[in-house]
């Protein structure tokens, strides 16, 4: 019961960190170090700039409300990225954008979010 109460309190904190989990251990993840947050196989995960992946107990819509909208933007139904971690854009694809992130991974902006991303990037 005490662990659950502590976990609840960690999730309510808004100090530039979010709680992430690896097994039974909880970590306070600095949002400035996060590259992306994504939903996969009925779970929500965060990947940091070192490529470490953490399980989150918050849903993407809750994270979207909580994170700084000037730094984090939703690019698809299942992914939020940090704009500061985008290193390259490929606009050649018709109707979508391919992004390269600081950790070397690539992601695609779904057509539904292209206009929002272009506005956020000033394109």
């Amino acid at each position: 019961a005490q662990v659950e109460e502590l976990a609840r309190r960690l999730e309510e904190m808004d100090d530039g960190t979010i709680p992430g989990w690896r097994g039974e251990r909880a970590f306070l993840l600095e949002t400035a170090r996060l590259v992306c947050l994504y939903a996969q196989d009925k779970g929500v995960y965060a990947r940091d700039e070192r490529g470490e992946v953490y399980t989150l107990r918050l849903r993407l819509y809750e994270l979207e409300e909580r994170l700084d909208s000037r730094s984090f933007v939703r690019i698809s139904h299942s992914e939020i990225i940090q704009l500061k971690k985008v290193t390259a854009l490929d606009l050649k694809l018709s109707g979508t954008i391919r992004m390269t992130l600081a950790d070397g991974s690539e992601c695609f902006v779904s057509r539904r979010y292209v206009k929002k991303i272009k506005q956020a990037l000033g394109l």
Side-chain angles (χ1 to χ4, degrees):
Q2 289 176 335
V3 172
E4 290 299 320
E5 176 63 20
L6 178 60
R8 187 187 61 73
R9 286 185 187 177
L10 287 173
E11 289 173 356
E12 291 175 355
M13 292 174 62
D14 190 18
D15 60 352
T17 62
I18 58 172
W21 302 82
R22 292 184 109 186
E24 294 297 317
R25 295 186 65 194
F27 298 87
L28 284 178
L29 307 176
E30 294 178 43
T31 57
R33 302 187 87 160
L34 297 178
V35 174
C36 67
L37 305 104
Y38 59 96
Q40 182 179 0
D41 299 327
K42 298 185 180 181
V44 178
Y45 305 92
R47 191 172 65 241
D48 68 14
E49 54 199 15
R50 295 178 316 227
E52 300 286 330
V53 177
Y54 299 87
T55 302
L56 304 179
R57 293 188 176 172
L58 297 168
R59 299 283 149 232
L60 281 180
Y61 74 88
E62 294 170 321
L63 291 163
E64 194 173 21
E65 291 170 0
R66 222 172 139 168
L67 296 168
D68 182 0
S69 62
R70 294 169 295 174
S71 298
F72 290 88
V73 64
R74 193 167 199 144
I75 63 166
S76 70
H77 179 71
S78 61
E79 190 167 11
I80 297 171
I81 56 114
Q82 182 171 180
L83 289 173
K84 294 174 186 175
K85 303 295 182 183
V86 175
T87 59
L89 297 172
D90 183 356
L91 302 169
K92 292 184 287 187
L93 302 170
S94 64
T96 190
I97 301 170
R98 179 172 54 199
M99 296 180 157
T100 304
L101 302 176
D103 65 351
S105 64
E106 290 184 342
C107 57
F108 292 86
V109 178
S110 73
R111 293 172 196 252
R112 177 179 182 179
Y113 292 91
V114 168
K115 183 177 179 180
K116 181 179 175 182
I117 297 301
K118 285 185 175 183
Q119 287 175 341
L121 295 172
L123 299 176

